[in-house]
Each structure stands twice: as C-alpha cells, then as structure tokens.
C-alpha cells in the first residue's frame, strides 16, 4: 500500500509498504484524511529530537473502519467514521499509575516514535479507535490537535470567573481558546498574525493582542483592571512567550505550558515565589478531551466556514512534499495541511 515516509532532513517520498495483518482486538482503518502537525514539520526539518527515523508521519486522523478483528466489541463496526488516540501507555510508570496515561513516561506517538497514519490503511488496538459521532472524516482530522488545547484548559482548571490568555493561535491554541470560552472564561488571544487573531475572536476570544505590534503588558493591565490574567496558556514554545507567561500572569495565577522551547529558557524565578504561581505542563490529551472536541465540532459542523478556515490546504500524497516546503517558508500562515488518501 501507498505511504508517505520522511527518511531524512527535508527528505519526503512516497513508498510502498506491506499491509498490516489484522490481529485479535484490532481494527483496520481506511484512512481518508490525515493532518500534518508541527511535530511533522520539525521532523522534516531535522529538528525533532524525539523522532525515530525513517518514519511514516501522521497522527491526526479521519478514517473509516474497514474491518474489525476477533474480540472487538460491537460498538465498532465496518463503515463507521472514526478518529484515533495516537498515544501509547505502558500501564506501569508513575503517570499511568496515577491515571494520567496521556503523560506516560514510555509513550510512543504515531508518526514520532513509531510509524504513523500517512498511509492507506492502519491497524490499531480497538481501545485507541474513537467513534466520531456525526462528523465527516475531513473534520475528524482536526480532533486530535484541538484536544491538546482542550486538555491544557483542564490542566489550568479554568472556570467562568477566570481571564485566560492563550499565547499562540495555531490549531492547539485554537482548541484552548474554544474550551476556555465554553467554560465561560474571558479569553484573550495573543499572536503575531492578525488573520489568526480575527479567527480566534470568531471562535470565542473576547479580546485579541498582536504581540508584535502592541504593548502586551499595557494591554493586559488595561483588560484585567491592573490584576493580570488568572491563567496564561503557552502554545508557542519560545523563550519569549515562556517569559511572557510568567511575567504577565496575576499573583497566585496558573501558567500552563504546551509548547516545547527549542533552546534553554532563563526566568526571573522570584516571580515563581512572589506570585506563588502554579506552573504546569500539559502533554497530549485524555480520552475525555477527545469526546469534548467531538461534541463541540458536532455543534458547529453546520458552520462550514469555521472548519474550512482551520484547514489551510488539502493535498494528495504526491503533493505532500511541496506542501511541506511551502509550510516551512511561511509557517505562521498555516493552521492545518491535510493529506487526502
């Protein structure tokens, strides 16, 4: 079967791989759409330290069940539209023992530590297959990245009395904006791109700040009556935005970090103590986050313009290398690139 493989820095090709043998307790998925995410771009650029090369990328899935193996419960049937949970969990590490399987010490994400979904078919354990309700396969490819943002809002324990700043309005940041707004919080979107900020307001942000052209501190003080935001969610992964989160959050506020900074970050650690901050990491997503995203997307599926604007481009497998090149040249303008199989 046809698959996309990244074999080295800026090396992507179409390869032929053997179909997987369907085992008991597994489900064979026929891929319809698979999204490229930032980790795939970093893999292609040679900047992903976690990847095992060569690799078939892809973990943002919209698929249809082709077959089910023995002992698969009848909640999963051929023809169903589904997505998947692309993470593994060992069941033995501290995270798994504490019920936080999304942060498993030995996690292997599809398309990173193991071959992913950029292929025509993939067999997965039935527990990792998630029915997508009334969603179409194209929309399903948005579920996983949005769920990562939803999970960050859970980690921040956002409520309706909070003011939340989301730094970075990519797909993950948009998920955090949506979930915060659904919980009744006042949401402030922060990004360097005015088009993304405009869409963020359509998706639930009350205010928007262009961090490149505006005085972030002055605007936040004005918006919060001088207190600062209760929650800062960092969804970029740069030293500048990490420091912004710590510096601008209110006293006794919460800082949640999603983005990986590629270099070391220096902090004024006095703020950790003086403000008595809660600083929390947020990794991947829980099954409940996937369900929450599906419910949200079911509610807006008639608003095709919103979903369409989150999908920057749809390409064939043969068009994927060119799309990746274009993304690398202008990364700030891309939400999601989907490959249609």
């Amino acid at each position: 079967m046809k698959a996309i493989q990244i074999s080295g820095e800026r090396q992507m090709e179409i390869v032929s791989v053997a179909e997987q043998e369907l085992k008991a307790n597994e489900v064979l998925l026929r891929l319809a759409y698979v999204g490229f995410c930032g980790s795939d771009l970093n893999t292609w650029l040679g900047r992903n330290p976690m990847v095992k090369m060569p690799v078939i990328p892809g973990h943002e899935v919209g698929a249809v069940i082709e077959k089910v193996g023995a002992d698969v419960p009848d909640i999963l049937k051929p023809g169903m539209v589904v997505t998947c949970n692309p993470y593994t969990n060992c069941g033995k590490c501290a995270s798994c023992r504490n019920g936080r399987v999304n942060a498993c010490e030995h996690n292997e994400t599809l398309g990173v530590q193991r071959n992913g979904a950029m292929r025509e078919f993939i067999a997965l354990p039935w527990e990792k297959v998630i029915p997508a309700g009334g969603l179409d396969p194209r929309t399903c490819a948005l579920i996983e990245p949005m769920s990562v943002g939803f999970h960050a809002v859970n980690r921040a324990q956002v409520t309706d009395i909070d003011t939340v700043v989301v730094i970075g309005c990519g797909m993950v940041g948009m998920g955090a904006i949506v979930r915060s707004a659904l919980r009744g919080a006042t949401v402030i979107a922060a990004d360097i791109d005015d088009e993304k900020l405009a869409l963020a307001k359509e998706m639930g942000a009350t205010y928007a700040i262009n961090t490149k052209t505006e005085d972030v501190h002055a605007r936040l003080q004005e918006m919060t009556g001088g207190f600062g935001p209760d929650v800062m969610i960092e969804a970029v992964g740069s030293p500048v935005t990490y420091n912004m989160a710590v510096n601008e959050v209110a006293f006794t506020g919460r800082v949640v970090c999603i983005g990986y900074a590629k270099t070391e970050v220096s902090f004024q650690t006095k703020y950790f103590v003086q403000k008595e901050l809660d600083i929390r990491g947020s990794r991947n997503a829980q099954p409940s986050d996937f369900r929450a995203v599906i419910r949200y997307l079911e509610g807006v599926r008639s608003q095709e313009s919103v979903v369409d604007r989150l999908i920057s481009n749809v390409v064939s497998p043969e068009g994927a290398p060119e799309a990746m090149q274009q993304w690398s040249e202008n990364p700030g303008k891309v939400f999601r690139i989907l490959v249609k199989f």
Side-chain angles (χ1 to χ4, degrees), residues 266-303:
S266 297
F267 292 104
Q268 290 287 343
T269 54
K270 66 179 183 180
Y271 292 139
F272 296 10
V273 178
Q274 286 179 345
K275 293 185 178 184
E276 199 174 57
L277 298 180
D278 289 332
I279 300 176
R280 305 172 184 178
S282 182
R283 183 182 178 192
N284 300 331
Q286 292 269 23
S288 59
D289 301 309
F290 283 84
R291 293 197 300 271
V293 173
I294 290 169
R295 174 177 289 185
Y296 164 73
L297 289 172
E298 283 185 312
V300 301
R301 66 177 183 267
S302 61
Q303 303 174 26

Side-chain angles (χ1 to χ4, degrees), residues 21 124 148 154 179 198 230 299 307 338:
E21 179 183 349
L124 295 173
V148 175
N154 283 341
R179 188 57 159 165
D230 303 286
V307 172
L338 303 187

Side-chain angles (χ1 to χ4, degrees), residues 165-295:
V165 175
V166 178
I167 311 173
C169 295
M171 274 297 301
V172 171
M174 286 296 183
I177 288 166
V178 167
R179 188 57 159 165
S180 297
L182 289 173
R183 290 192 174 192
T186 299
V187 185
I188 303 170
D191 201 279
I192 61 172
D193 186 272
D194 286 331
E195 291 182 18
K196 287 186 174 180
L197 290 170
L199 182 56
K201 293 185 74 172
E202 289 185 35
M203 300 191 72
T206 306
Y207 304 105
I209 300 175
N210 188 314
T211 58
K212 189 175 183 179
T213 61
E214 299 181 72
D215 185 328
V216 175
H217 178 72
R219 289 292 312 280
L220 289 178
Q221 289 294 296
E222 174 190 349
M223 293 172 181
T224 62
F227 290 105
D230 303 286
V231 176
M232 300 285 292
I233 297 178
E234 200 287 333
V236 176
S238 81
V240 171
T241 50
Y242 261 79
N243 272 284
M244 182 189 299
V246 170
N247 295 347
E248 299 299 339
V249 72
F251 274 63
T252 67
R254 288 99 74 196
V255 176
V256 175
C257 306
I258 311 174
Y260 284 96
K262 306 302 185 295
T263 58
E264 291 186 1
V265 183
S266 297
F267 292 104
Q268 290 287 343
T269 54
K270 66 179 183 180
Y271 292 139
F272 296 10
V273 178
Q274 286 179 345
K275 293 185 178 184
E276 199 174 57
L277 298 180
D278 289 332
I279 300 176
R280 305 172 184 178
S282 182
R283 183 182 178 192
N284 300 331
Q286 292 269 23
S288 59
D289 301 309
F290 283 84
R291 293 197 300 271
V293 173
I294 290 169
R295 174 177 289 185

